[in-house]
mmCIF file of all heavy atoms in Angstrom:
data_model
loop_
_atom_site.group_PDB
_atom_site.id
_atom_site.type_symbol
_atom_site.label_atom_id
_atom_site.label_comp_id
_atom_site.label_asym_id
_atom_site.label_seq_id
_atom_site.Cartn_x
_atom_site.Cartn_y
_atom_site.Cartn_z
ATOM 1 N N SER A 94 174.888 105.527 48.740
ATOM 2 C CA SER A 94 176.118 104.743 48.765
ATOM 3 C C SER A 94 175.859 103.481 49.572
ATOM 4 O O SER A 94 174.853 103.378 50.285
ATOM 5 C CB SER A 94 177.274 105.547 49.355
ATOM 6 O OG SER A 94 176.940 106.079 50.623
ATOM 7 N N VAL A 96 177.463 101.562 52.433
ATOM 8 C CA VAL A 96 178.491 101.700 53.460
ATOM 9 C C VAL A 96 178.782 100.372 54.153
ATOM 10 O O VAL A 96 179.940 100.052 54.423
ATOM 11 C CB VAL A 96 178.064 102.767 54.490
ATOM 12 C CG1 VAL A 96 179.009 102.792 55.682
ATOM 13 C CG2 VAL A 96 178.015 104.138 53.824
ATOM 14 N N ASN A 102 185.474 101.151 47.871
ATOM 15 C CA ASN A 102 184.493 102.029 47.233
ATOM 16 C C ASN A 102 183.243 102.231 48.075
ATOM 17 O O ASN A 102 182.215 102.668 47.558
ATOM 18 C CB ASN A 102 184.097 101.473 45.864
ATOM 19 C CG ASN A 102 185.229 101.553 44.860
ATOM 20 O OD1 ASN A 102 186.178 102.297 45.059
ATOM 21 N ND2 ASN A 102 185.134 100.785 43.803
ATOM 22 N N GLN A 103 183.333 101.948 49.379
ATOM 23 C CA GLN A 103 182.116 102.005 50.184
ATOM 24 C C GLN A 103 181.533 103.403 50.258
ATOM 25 O O GLN A 103 180.352 103.546 50.549
ATOM 26 C CB GLN A 103 182.385 101.469 51.590
ATOM 27 C CG GLN A 103 183.242 102.351 52.455
ATOM 28 C CD GLN A 103 183.441 101.820 53.863
ATOM 29 O OE1 GLN A 103 184.558 101.743 54.327
ATOM 30 N NE2 GLN A 103 182.400 101.462 54.543
ATOM 31 N N TYR A 104 182.339 104.415 50.046
ATOM 32 C CA TYR A 104 181.819 105.774 50.141
ATOM 33 C C TYR A 104 181.596 106.420 48.771
ATOM 34 O O TYR A 104 181.348 107.619 48.699
ATOM 35 C CB TYR A 104 182.748 106.650 50.979
ATOM 36 C CG TYR A 104 182.862 106.185 52.414
ATOM 37 C CD1 TYR A 104 184.095 105.950 52.998
ATOM 38 C CD2 TYR A 104 181.715 105.956 53.169
ATOM 39 C CE1 TYR A 104 184.198 105.517 54.307
ATOM 40 C CE2 TYR A 104 181.807 105.512 54.478
ATOM 41 C CZ TYR A 104 183.054 105.305 55.047
ATOM 42 O OH TYR A 104 183.149 104.873 56.337
ATOM 43 N N GLU A 105 181.672 105.627 47.695
ATOM 44 C CA GLU A 105 181.392 106.185 46.382
ATOM 45 C C GLU A 105 179.916 106.534 46.306
ATOM 46 O O GLU A 105 179.057 105.728 46.655
ATOM 47 C CB GLU A 105 181.737 105.203 45.275
ATOM 48 C CG GLU A 105 181.520 105.772 43.877
ATOM 49 C CD GLU A 105 182.060 104.874 42.785
ATOM 50 O OE1 GLU A 105 182.410 103.726 43.089
ATOM 51 O OE2 GLU A 105 182.140 105.336 41.628
ATOM 52 N N GLN A 106 179.630 107.753 45.874
ATOM 53 C CA GLN A 106 178.254 108.228 45.891
ATOM 54 C C GLN A 106 177.676 108.338 44.488
ATOM 55 O O GLN A 106 178.356 108.768 43.560
ATOM 56 C CB GLN A 106 178.178 109.572 46.607
ATOM 57 C CG GLN A 106 178.555 109.446 48.064
ATOM 58 C CD GLN A 106 178.135 110.622 48.901
ATOM 59 O OE1 GLN A 106 177.087 111.215 48.680
ATOM 60 N NE2 GLN A 106 178.962 110.964 49.865
ATOM 61 N N TYR B 31 189.687 110.521 52.131
ATOM 62 C CA TYR B 31 189.448 109.097 51.930
ATOM 63 C C TYR B 31 189.407 108.781 50.435
ATOM 64 O O TYR B 31 189.923 107.775 49.971
ATOM 65 C CB TYR B 31 188.141 108.690 52.594
ATOM 66 C CG TYR B 31 187.937 107.206 52.674
ATOM 67 C CD1 TYR B 31 188.643 106.439 53.589
ATOM 68 C CD2 TYR B 31 187.039 106.570 51.825
ATOM 69 C CE1 TYR B 31 188.460 105.074 53.660
ATOM 70 C CE2 TYR B 31 186.844 105.202 51.896
ATOM 71 C CZ TYR B 31 187.560 104.466 52.819
ATOM 72 O OH TYR B 31 187.375 103.122 52.889
ATOM 73 N N ASN B 32 188.728 109.628 49.684
ATOM 74 C CA ASN B 32 188.767 109.523 48.230
ATOM 75 C C ASN B 32 188.413 110.851 47.600
ATOM 76 O O ASN B 32 188.009 111.792 48.297
ATOM 77 C CB ASN B 32 187.848 108.408 47.708
ATOM 78 C CG ASN B 32 186.387 108.632 48.039
ATOM 79 O OD1 ASN B 32 185.875 109.738 47.918
ATOM 80 N ND2 ASN B 32 185.693 107.578 48.435
ATOM 81 N N GLN B 34 186.314 112.331 44.097
ATOM 82 C CA GLN B 34 185.481 111.999 42.945
ATOM 83 C C GLN B 34 185.387 113.188 42.001
ATOM 84 O O GLN B 34 185.283 114.336 42.447
ATOM 85 C CB GLN B 34 184.042 111.622 43.388
ATOM 86 C CG GLN B 34 183.864 110.198 43.812
ATOM 87 C CD GLN B 34 182.403 109.841 44.103
ATOM 88 O OE1 GLN B 34 181.962 109.924 45.232
ATOM 89 N NE2 GLN B 34 181.690 109.424 43.072
ATOM 90 N N SER B 93 186.215 113.571 50.007
ATOM 91 C CA SER B 93 185.539 113.039 51.186
ATOM 92 C C SER B 93 186.562 112.562 52.203
ATOM 93 O O SER B 93 187.564 111.941 51.855
ATOM 94 C CB SER B 93 184.601 111.893 50.820
ATOM 95 O OG SER B 93 185.315 110.723 50.525
ATOM 96 N N ARG B 95 186.683 110.185 55.755
ATOM 97 C CA ARG B 95 185.955 108.959 56.094
ATOM 98 C C ARG B 95 184.547 109.349 56.548
ATOM 99 O O ARG B 95 184.367 110.243 57.346
ATOM 100 C CB ARG B 95 186.663 108.188 57.189
ATOM 101 C CG ARG B 95 186.032 106.849 57.482
ATOM 102 C CD ARG B 95 186.901 106.045 58.433
ATOM 103 N NE ARG B 95 188.136 105.612 57.773
ATOM 104 C CZ ARG B 95 188.219 104.501 57.055
ATOM 105 N NH1 ARG B 95 187.165 103.741 56.882
ATOM 106 N NH2 ARG B 95 189.366 104.152 56.505
ATOM 107 N N GLY B 96 183.551 108.657 56.047
ATOM 108 C CA GLY B 96 182.172 108.955 56.399
ATOM 109 C C GLY B 96 181.338 109.398 55.235
ATOM 110 O O GLY B 96 180.155 109.617 55.371
ATOM 111 N N SER B 97 181.968 109.565 54.090
ATOM 112 C CA SER B 97 181.318 109.775 52.798
ATOM 113 C C SER B 97 180.738 111.159 52.584
ATOM 114 O O SER B 97 180.227 111.434 51.512
ATOM 115 C CB SER B 97 180.243 108.719 52.513
ATOM 116 O OG SER B 97 179.060 108.979 53.216
#
Side-chain angles (χ1 to χ4, degrees):
Chain A
S94 53
V96 172
N102 291 342
Q103 71 178 130
Y104 297 127
E105 183 171 11
Q106 296 196 36
Chain B
Y31 191 75
N32 62 43
Q34 276 186 267
S93 74
R95 186 172 290 274
S97 78

